[in-house]
Amino acid sequence: MLTDQSNEYFNINIDSGVAHLQLSRPEKANSLALGFWKRFPEAIEQLSRSGEVRAMVISAQGNTFCGGLDLQIFASSKEADTANPNEREAMQFSLLQMQETINVLERARFPVIAAVQGACLGAGFDLIAACDFCFAAENAKFCIEETNIGMMADLGILQRLQHLIPGGMARYLALTGDTLSAAQAHDLGLVVKVFPSTETLIEGALATARRIADRSPVAINGVKRAMLYSRDHGVYESLQQIALLQASIFSRQDILCSIQAKATGTKSEFQNLSEVGKIFDEP
């Protein structure tokens, strides 16, 4: 049985199949410190393996969603040194590990909703781009901040953003470091809904997560997997993939349960996904 958890980087609360992860360093603009990059993927993978979580919301405490990478990493981490080939190889390995911290959101067996208030900069933008969709408060703003501090974004935003908004606009934002307002992000399709305040934003995101959690978990997992596969493959490859996927997860029981619930106005009761990964647990 999963329980709530808390550390210096984020808090996770779980209720009726919905996990709510809140970045919890508001005094540091929720910047992503070195420890975050270890704790975050461990937490998401635990939630995913359990089969108990059906949807998740990622939000943040305070007025800023995320100020990006904690710049102390550049001052204190040896992986930021690139004076010789050995150091450059180590930096490449570290970057791949950090990318995996973001990638874990796409591999999660449940949909992930980003709920953004205030500034969402740099690595924060990488984080929400890997979520399934994004809600925002009216004061939200998005920026590929790396361009403005003399470096190239390298954790996924350059690869994902042009699949989320028109390619020309994605390149414009990456090359200029300009800021995108919540209204502009909504017009472009990056943000699905805009809310008047942080409070209504969180309420709306959690309400949507609960709606998703009421659906068949195996079907929702299949939808997520099929759409991610289709993003990276051609139409006919994707049709073949979904035929195989549908044949492997098709549940007559879940369909009949959904129809019965709709006819009677009651709530459907579905089994959770099975727990996985026990084979790797220590005895």
Side-chain angles (χ1 to χ4, degrees):
M1 175 70 70
L2 290 173
T3 57
D4 295 351
Q5 59 176 285
S6 177
N7 57 56
E8 61 184 296
Y9 309 108
F10 54 83
N11 304 321
I12 300 177
N13 302 107
I14 301 165
D15 182 29
S16 301
V18 173
H20 183 193
L21 185 150
Q22 277 196 308
L23 302 178
S24 58
R25 297 210 312 158
E27 73 286 355
K28 298 289 187 180
N30 292 309
S31 58
L32 306 181
L34 201 58
F36 170 88
W37 300 92
K38 174 177 169 57
R39 294 287 191 90
F40 185 80
E42 290 176 345
I44 302 302
E45 287 172 355
Q46 180 189 23
L47 298 178
S48 186
R49 287 196 305 268
S50 75
E52 297 177 29
V53 173
R54 300 186 179 189
M56 183 170 81
V57 171
I58 296 181
S59 68
Q61 297 175 4
N63 297 321
T64 299
F65 177 80
C66 180
L69 197 66
D70 190 329
L71 296 182
Q72 283 298 111
I73 292 177
F74 294 107
S76 61
S77 175
K78 294 175 68 175
E79 282 80 1
D81 296 333
T82 57
N84 59 60
N86 283 357
E87 291 177 346
R88 291 192 288 273
E89 188 279 336
M91 181 180 186
Q92 183 184 53
F93 183 77
S94 296
L95 283 174
L96 290 171
Q97 286 186 306
M98 293 174 75
Q99 289 171 4
E100 282 301 300
T101 297
I102 305 292
N103 295 344
V104 72
L105 293 172
E106 290 188 339
R107 288 199 300 269
R109 300 162 76 201
F110 45 78
V112 182
I113 304 167
V116 176
Q117 87 283 0
C120 177
L121 311 177
F125 205 171
D126 291 293
L127 192 72
I128 69 104
C131 295
D132 290 279
F133 55 89
C134 178
F135 289 166
E138 287 181 350
N139 68 349
K141 54 184 180 180
F142 306 83
C143 177
I144 302 176
E145 184 64 14
E146 292 88 343
T147 304
N148 297 324
I149 61 170
M151 64 177 288
M152 175 177 63
D154 52 21
L155 299 180
I157 191 65
L158 300 185
Q159 291 69 36
R160 291 186 171 101
L161 189 60
Q162 54 195 323
H163 292 285
L164 299 172
I165 66 175
M169 179 57 77
R171 288 187 288 275
Y172 170 80
L173 293 170
L175 293 168
T176 65
D178 276 3
T179 297
L180 201 63
S181 70
Q184 291 170 320
H186 181 262
D187 289 343
L188 290 168
L190 175 66
V191 167
V192 176
K193 290 184 180 180
V194 177
F195 294 82
S197 67
T198 299
E199 291 73 21
T200 56
L201 166 69
I202 301 301
E203 290 171 4
L206 288 172
T208 300
R210 287 191 288 269
R211 286 182 60 201
I212 294 170
D214 285 342
R215 271 60 174 174
S216 162
V218 72
I220 292 295
N221 174 264
V223 169
K224 175 168 179 168
R225 290 170 62 187
M227 295 190 78
L228 282 169
Y229 187 93
S230 182
R231 180 195 66 184
D232 299 327
H233 297 80
V235 172
Y236 289 103
E237 286 179 287
S238 299
L239 287 171
Q240 287 185 329
Q241 183 260 359
I242 201 170
L244 291 170
L245 182 59
Q246 181 74 295
S248 69
I249 68 170
F250 187 84
S251 172
R252 188 189 305 272
Q253 179 180 349
D254 281 3
I255 293 172
L256 294 176
C257 181
S258 298
I259 294 172
Q260 177 69 16
K262 190 172 183 179
T264 59
T266 58
K267 183 179 177 179
S268 301
E269 297 292 339
F270 300 108
Q271 279 190 318
N272 286 334
L273 296 177
S274 297
E275 184 178 4
V276 297
K278 279 191 169 184
I279 190 173
F280 301 110
D281 293 343
E282 294 182 5

